[in-house]
Amino acid sequence: MLDTRLIMPAGPPRRTFLYRCLRALDARLDGRLLALERPPETALPELAQKAGAGSVYVSGETNPYGHRRDERVERVMGGYGRRLRVDEIAVRD
């Protein structure tokens, strides 16, 4: 998931580096990498529904933006009958 709110302010050199790395990874995975570049609260619930996934697992965030984003995603996921499961251990370690 490429959060557009974080990608766009990164600047052209960083975005170029990121996109080149993602293209290289996709090539190594024989074109099976799925990278969605849009707001997570839009993309994750839709992806979970299309995949038939009841839950999406993510690593926890320590910053205020990450907490607010995860809360938005969780609310939207609930509307699709899906759950967002946050790994809080990643936050504490």
Side-chain angles (χ1 to χ4, degrees):
M1 179 60 46
L2 301 170
D3 187 339
T4 52
R5 292 180 197 100
L6 298 176
I7 296 292
M8 296 318 295
R14 284 185 176 184
R15 286 195 307 268
T16 298
F17 175 75
L18 174 64
Y19 295 138
R20 285 181 180 164
C21 290
L22 290 172
R23 278 194 295 275
L25 177 58
D26 187 47
R28 292 187 71 183
L29 295 172
D30 297 323
R32 293 180 307 212
L33 178 67
L34 176 61
L36 302 174
E37 187 173 352
R38 32 189 192 152
E41 59 270 22
T42 302
L44 283 177
E46 181 182 318
L47 180 60
Q49 184 176 23
K50 285 181 180 179
S55 298
V56 172
Y57 293 80
V58 298
S59 59
E61 286 287 342
T62 59
N63 61 63
Y65 170 77
H67 285 290
R68 289 190 306 272
R69 179 201 57 220
D70 292 348
E71 288 171 358
R72 286 192 308 270
V73 171
E74 188 171 20
R75 280 194 302 275
V76 174
M77 295 275 293
Y80 282 83
R82 309 295 194 257
R83 293 190 62 187
L84 181 70
R85 298 189 180 265
V86 179
D87 179 5
E88 297 296 338
I89 294 173
V91 174
R92 290 190 298 261
D93 288 348

